[in-house]
Amino acid sequence: MTTPLAVLDLVPVSAGSTSAEALRNAVDLAQHAEQAGYSRYWLAEHHLNPGVAGSAPNIVIGAIAAATSSIRVGSAATLVGNQRALQIAETFGTLTGLYGPRFDLGLGRSGAPAPGAARAPSLTPRADEVVDGLLIPAPFDFTIAPNSRFALQGALLGRVPGDVDGFAGEVDLIRDFLAGTFTRDGEVVEATPADGADVELWVHGSTGGESARIAGALGLPYGANYHTSPGTVLASVAAYRSAFRPGVLAAPHVIVSADVVVADTAAEAARIGAGYDTWVYSIRSGVGAVPYPSPEDAAAHPLEAPAAASVADRVATRFVGAPEQVVAGLETLRRATGADELLVTTITHAHEARVRSYELLAAAWAARAAAAPAAHAHA
């Protein structure tokens, strides 16, 4: 069977555009993705970023569900701690009640650890390596600076160091609310309209740490991030599979994310994708994602060497090129990680180029799948 492709949309704002236009573009892209055959359309949660309009993904999910008919819609991820379990369960129960059972609730563990907390083993420093043809760069150990947008976001959302330790308990609460099994003083308490809602629950993680362990222990499907943390993706997947016990699922199920830009030629793909290094640097440096630059501005203002080095892992692991090149790269990613699904995120300055990239990839991926049985039959 063909490995399904899904879409991860950050709702990027292009330089010279507005957040309102970015939100309308998300709805338009979802409609094109459904027509192209993508299996899921997921939204990410980011706050205080001038270049990202996806700060309220649960609202955008509803707008996309209203504009589509069959594609599964969801979050990757809803960040536990920014909202409480009851609110999250009620929101997805409401969406299911309005639009039917096609929602994926992806949960993410985000926030500052308690002082002295152990870091994930997968963040141990090491050199770049290539595993089964896939580049696994040295892990990037992200530290939240006190004056960064990340720190301000945490303060405004009421986050405190160590509150990520409550992630497992919040996941359990969400499961209870959706199953209608939450009790207080021996009595079942219904969380209408979450009670009994047919929502597919996922856990997303970037390292071989707590998220991977929890997803595996509960037998839930797991999302591993190659696009944001390429250096830890194999450790993340391995930790999930090692911890897996039959639960919701009988066997492990992994979706792996990737940054992708496709155009008719490799040169055109490189041109329309230019500016990515500057955009990633704006996030990692703590100032917040800048509006995505135009190819002309990116060419006129290249990222300087020290800054470029700090995002080299992300640039080197982005799949950019003509359709056949990107398909080959994604097949390597699938093989090396054992992914059951692939989650593609594409950012370009022009919305039309982004739509075209997804359409070209879907067509090339389907053609590859169709050609495989024929090649096998003639072997």
Side-chain angles (χ1 to χ4, degrees):
M1 293 181 64
T2 306
T3 302
L5 294 181
V7 174
L8 174 61
D9 188 4
L10 309 185
V11 195
V13 180
S14 297
S17 185
T18 66
S19 59
E21 185 171 359
L23 290 164
R24 291 191 293 269
N25 286 343
V27 175
D28 180 71
L29 179 60
Q31 292 173 323
H32 282 90
E34 182 174 64
Q35 293 166 6
Y38 286 87
S39 60
R40 307 178 193 270
Y41 196 95
W42 287 353
L43 283 297
E45 179 182 344
H46 296 283
H47 300 277
L48 303 183
N49 286 280
V52 174
S55 57
N58 295 345
I59 295 176
V60 184
I61 287 169
I64 287 172
T68 57
S69 60
S70 59
I71 193 169
R72 294 193 65 86
V73 187
S75 60
T78 295
L79 300 180
V80 174
N82 292 354
Q83 302 176 68
R84 301 310 299 267
L86 177 60
Q87 295 168 299
I88 294 170
E90 288 174 337
T91 295
F92 275 78
T94 299
L95 289 167
T96 302
L98 288 171
Y99 303 108
R102 57 185 177 109
F103 292 93
D104 303 325
L105 170 52
L107 301 174
R109 180 177 178 266
S110 177
R119 65 193 229 161
S122 55
L123 290 173
T124 301
R126 57 162 176 77
D128 293 358
E129 55 185 348
V130 176
V131 178
D132 198 11
L134 181 70
L135 174 61
I136 304 295
F140 181 83
D141 193 358
F142 183 79
T143 301
I144 296 177
N147 61 345
S148 69
R149 288 287 181 100
F150 293 105
L152 177 59
Q153 166 192 310
L156 292 173
L157 293 173
R159 306 300 299 268
V160 296
D163 64 0
V164 292
D165 295 337
F167 180 70
E170 292 291 283
V171 173
D172 286 340
L173 275 175
I174 291 168
R175 296 180 72 212
D176 285 344
F177 289 136
L178 292 173
T181 56
F182 175 76
T183 61
R184 177 58 56 90
D185 299 327
E187 298 288 333
V188 174
V189 179
E190 295 182 0
T192 307
D195 181 28
D198 186 4
V199 175
E200 191 170 294
L201 196 63
W202 290 69
V203 172
H204 293 266
S206 296
T207 69
E210 190 71 359
S211 296
R213 185 195 66 77
I214 290 170
L218 297 176
L220 291 169
Y222 183 63
N225 297 326
Y226 186 68
H227 85 289
T228 58
S229 188
T232 59
V233 66
L234 293 184
S236 179
V237 171
Y240 164 67
R241 292 195 174 113
S242 176
F244 188 87
R245 301 293 180 272
V248 176
L249 302 177
H253 188 94
V254 177
I255 191 168
V256 176
S257 62
D259 269 309
V260 169
V261 176
V262 184
D264 290 302
T265 66
E268 178 63 6
R271 188 190 74 82
I272 65 174
Y276 176 75
D277 54 352
T278 298
W279 185 80
V280 172
Y281 179 71
S282 68
I283 299 171
R284 282 191 170 176
S285 64
V287 301
V290 296
Y292 201 86
S294 68
E296 294 75 22
D297 284 346
H301 302 94
L303 200 60
E304 296 183 357
S310 72
V311 298
D313 62 321
R314 292 284 301 274
V315 174
T317 54
R318 191 188 194 202
F319 300 97
V320 180
E324 61 276 9
Q325 293 173 289
V326 174
V327 164
L330 290 178
E331 173 55 29
T332 297
L333 177 65
R334 185 210 61 77
R335 185 183 65 247
T337 60
D340 301 286
E341 302 183 46
L342 293 176
L343 181 63
V344 176
T345 181
T346 297
I347 302 179
T348 60
H349 179 264
H351 174 63
E352 295 77 13
R354 194 160 69 117
V355 171
R356 176 70 172 156
S357 176
Y358 277 111
E359 291 176 336
L360 286 171
L361 176 60
W365 193 253
R368 162 196 162 277
H376 180 73
H378 289 90

